[in-house]
Amino acid sequence: MHTSPAHAAPHDAREIETLEDFDATVAARSTLAGCRVQSVDLTDRTRELLAHDTGGAVFLGCPMREEAAAKVRADGALVFPPVPNLPFDPYRGRLYTPDELFASLEKGYEGTPDALSYAWFQRTRADGDIFASMLRSVHDDAVSDALDELLRHARVVGVMGGHAMARGTDAYAGAARLGRELSRSGWTVATGGGPGAMEAANLGAYAAPYEDAMLDEACELLGRTPSFTPSVTEWALRAFEVRERWPKGNHSVGIPTWFYGHEPPNAFASHIAKYFANALREDGLLARSNAGVVFLPGAAGTVQEIFDNATPNYYASRVEPTPMVLVDREHWTERLPAWPLLRSLARERSMESRIALVDRIEEAPAMLKRLAG
């Protein structure tokens, strides 16, 4: 049951994010006035740029010949030229793919765009350069815009859990089955995009179109490289081995951050919204989980996410409280007793009927459906 990505919604005709969009806009409108063109190589579209009105247009990181650049500036367009020697595109119009972030992985993770972007972030955030800060902000805003376009009209369920969950464990297999069931039920699975429970849920969504045995085989194969330490390269290559063996997985979303750049993104999220700013990433992931959130056992980060999600539910600031399902009674009542506090917060408020605690991960999808009404 392979389903199409959630971004099949109509696109803003003024936003041009590919060369195909550019050609279609020129053909349909015979003008580029007021358009926003994001990171499209226009070096072979000089004739069109010279022939059509570009007044009020904005060109973000679009290579073009100097003749064309001079003309569109004379029209009154704003031109933000590409920034040289960056390992990422701050003006990008699409989310990342695993193949893009892990390009050249076979030569070692350290040379991939993902690792090089983290290294750039480490250098620039230490020196306080305002230009680098601006580039990070522009990039993250572009990613948010692309994420909103992707998820327009989608029913998104967030799956939160720790990065330490190892491949090959029962917990990992359970999180993968959860992702598969959510995806098969028509929800778009969104995670923090990293290893552990996050990877497992994205893997499960990827496995949704296949027979159940496929997921068992994939988990066994991945279990041969249980963790991203000591080698991110070997860990990621194992995931691409699974993808190559079963190439037609379902879509899901990962929302990781270079703030935790020592944790690589996982290769099973088909769309990756990677941010420099962790606060934007955290809030964006929870805010877009409009069909609810499942919280698997985790540590400080997952506890933070529980109450980050509870706050707008408590104040009803997003109109309707979204379902929250905590998994593993012992973990959330004894090890890290977040459940008693969450239940106390919810008492006599509209969110009270939208929270639940279940013992086993297999109970989470049915409970989520029940809470959603």
Side-chain angles (χ1 to χ4, degrees), residues 5-259:
H7 67 293
H11 191 270
D12 183 345
R14 292 194 315 147
E15 289 192 13
I16 297 174
E17 297 169 350
T18 67
L19 205 54
E20 290 75 18
D21 288 345
F22 180 89
D23 292 340
T25 300
V26 168
R29 298 178 62 196
S30 297
T31 179
L32 293 164
C35 290
R36 278 76 175 108
V37 191
Q38 286 180 257
S39 195
V40 179
D41 189 343
L42 299 176
T43 51
D44 291 332
R45 294 297 185 273
T46 300
R47 183 177 61 184
E48 289 79 0
L49 291 170
L50 293 178
H52 295 89
D53 180 20
T54 58
V58 179
F59 295 87
L60 299 164
C62 299
M64 62 180 77
R65 301 193 188 281
E66 186 52 43
E67 179 186 8
K71 185 266 182 184
V72 301
R73 287 192 183 99
D75 281 352
L78 288 176
V79 179
F80 294 79
V83 181
N85 304 317
L86 279 182
F88 64 94
D89 177 4
Y91 307 115
R92 60 181 304 112
R94 300 288 193 209
L95 297 183
Y96 293 98
T97 66
D99 290 326
E100 183 179 2
L101 286 175
F102 285 108
S104 302
L105 177 64
E106 66 281 358
K107 299 177 184 177
Y109 172 71
E110 296 75 14
T112 64
D114 186 65
L116 293 173
S117 295
Y118 175 54
W120 177 89
F121 179 42
Q122 290 290 84
R123 289 194 308 272
T124 58
R125 72 172 175 173
D127 63 21
D129 181 4
I130 185 63
F131 181 56
S133 177
M134 183 201 73
L135 290 174
R136 293 194 297 268
S137 296
V138 169
H139 169 275
D140 285 1
D141 195 59
V143 167
S144 289
D145 181 65
L147 187 58
D148 286 336
E149 291 174 0
L150 175 80
L151 296 178
R152 193 177 295 153
H153 309 308
R155 297 166 62 238
V156 181
V157 171
V159 178
M160 310 299 166
H163 68 271
M165 184 184 288
R167 293 169 171 175
T169 62
D170 290 342
Y172 185 96
R177 289 193 296 273
L178 170 66
R180 182 178 64 187
E181 178 59 27
L182 294 174
S183 187
R184 285 177 173 176
S185 297
W187 284 308
T188 295
V189 173
T191 78
M198 298 171 279
E199 180 188 57
N202 287 127
L203 166 65
Y206 185 89
Y210 291 95
E211 298 293 331
D212 289 358
M214 172 268 177
L215 185 56
D216 296 334
E217 292 180 48
C219 285
E220 191 279 328
L221 187 59
L222 291 167
R224 299 174 191 174
T225 311
S227 174
F228 63 93
T229 59
S231 172
V232 174
T233 303
E234 295 303 318
W235 174 86
L237 282 172
R238 188 71 69 184
F240 279 99
E241 184 179 346
V242 169
R243 283 165 42 103
E244 184 176 353
R245 183 170 175 183
W246 294 282
K248 296 183 179 180
N250 204 2
H251 69 276
S252 67
V253 178
I255 307 181
T257 173
W258 279 296
F259 185 81

Side-chain angles (χ1 to χ4, degrees), residues 100 262 315 345:
E100 183 179 2
H262 58 286
Y315 290 111
L345 279 172

Side-chain angles (χ1 to χ4, degrees), residues 305-326:
E305 288 160 349
I306 289 173
F307 292 102
D308 280 348
N309 196 51
T311 300
N313 281 347
Y314 180 87
Y315 290 111
S317 57
R318 293 177 185 150
V319 184
E320 185 75 15
T322 52
M324 300 176 64
V325 179
L326 278 61

